[in-house]
Amino acid sequence: MNPLDTLAALFDGEGAAEYFGEAVTQAQHMLQAAFLAQGEGASASLVAAALLHDIGHFETLTAHHGGSSGAELMSGTDNRHSVTGAEWLAGWFGPAVTEPVRLHVAAKRYLCAVEPDYFGRLSEASVHTLSVQGGPMTPEQATAFAAGPYAADAVRLRRWDEAAKDPDLAVPGFEHFRPLLADLITAQAPPVRAS
Ligand code: FE
């Protein structure tokens, strides 16, 4: 299947599921994140990363990767959804899309370490998962993280992630982003792994 049709089907299907105790569905959450990114004039790659950042929560992917689901994350097992999502997306997209996705959980741990008031902005569910994901970074970890080439993009994505849980914010659907995604797809890229 065309990867864009695959993604559209995921948004329409599993995306309609509840987003772990938040007031929006998983699809609404990711669409809001992308909408906020676009509103701030982010690059196409970073808008795509925002749109797809939590795709690793979808059980379709976690099943392929032998990982655990979002429900298991909430019950105390780190499902490494950022890694699962980034690896899956690397079949079609380059690092400017996949690296902010991979790093968006680390960016939460980073922001909680370097911004004293950041923790207070996390939703209840996000506070819960923070502890499962390793808690705030140490100063040494934060310094090392910030030196990475995609750290700044991951931090921007993380701020949209926090803001994209608004039940009253109506945003465009997946099709709005299809042309942007189509331009980014590196059709020749081999899948990262056979599945
Ligand atoms: Fe998210």
Side-chain angles (χ1 to χ4, degrees):
M1 196 193 282
N2 175 320
L4 295 177
D5 292 337
T6 301
L7 290 169
L10 282 170
F11 271 73
D12 286 346
E14 290 188 51
E18 179 201 13
Y19 180 51
F20 321 129
E22 306 288 2
V24 291
T25 66
Q26 299 201 41
Q28 285 169 338
H29 169 63
M30 296 198 289
L31 290 165
Q32 286 186 6
F35 180 78
L36 295 169
Q38 229 170 16
E40 286 189 21
S43 69
S45 295
L46 194 50
V47 171
L51 179 69
L52 303 170
H53 77 275
D54 274 342
I55 203 127
H57 277 312
F58 289 180
E59 285 174 21
T60 301
L61 274 71
T62 56
H64 274 295
H65 282 77
S68 52
S69 67
E72 286 168 277
L73 173 65
M74 291 308 290
S75 67
T77 303
D78 182 1
N79 69 354
R80 293 170 52 79
H81 75 278
S82 62
V83 176
T84 300
E87 287 186 357
W88 190 75
L89 292 168
W92 301 308
F93 298 100
V97 175
T98 62
E99 283 301 281
V101 171
R102 186 173 67 83
L103 295 171
H104 85 273
V105 170
K108 175 171 69 168
R109 301 181 55 223
Y110 168 79
L111 282 163
C112 286
V114 300
E115 292 188 6
D117 64 337
Y118 198 82
F119 184 83
R121 279 187 247 152
L122 300 180
S123 65
E124 196 179 326
S126 203
V127 167
H128 175 72
T129 55
L130 175 66
S131 63
V132 178
Q133 291 156 342
M137 288 181 173
T138 64
E140 294 74 22
Q141 289 171 329
T143 301
F145 174 81
Y150 290 98
D153 280 351
V155 165
R156 289 185 78 192
L157 168 48
R158 189 69 220 185
R159 295 187 197 280
W160 299 317
D161 191 356
E162 250 64 77
K165 299 172 179 179
D166 180 352
D168 298 321
L169 178 61
V171 298
F174 180 84
E175 293 306 317
H176 171 75
F177 298 102
R178 187 184 278 259
L180 176 147
L181 295 174
D183 284 347
L184 291 169
I185 285 188
T186 53
Q188 302 81 2
V192 278
R193 64 176 77 183
S195 60

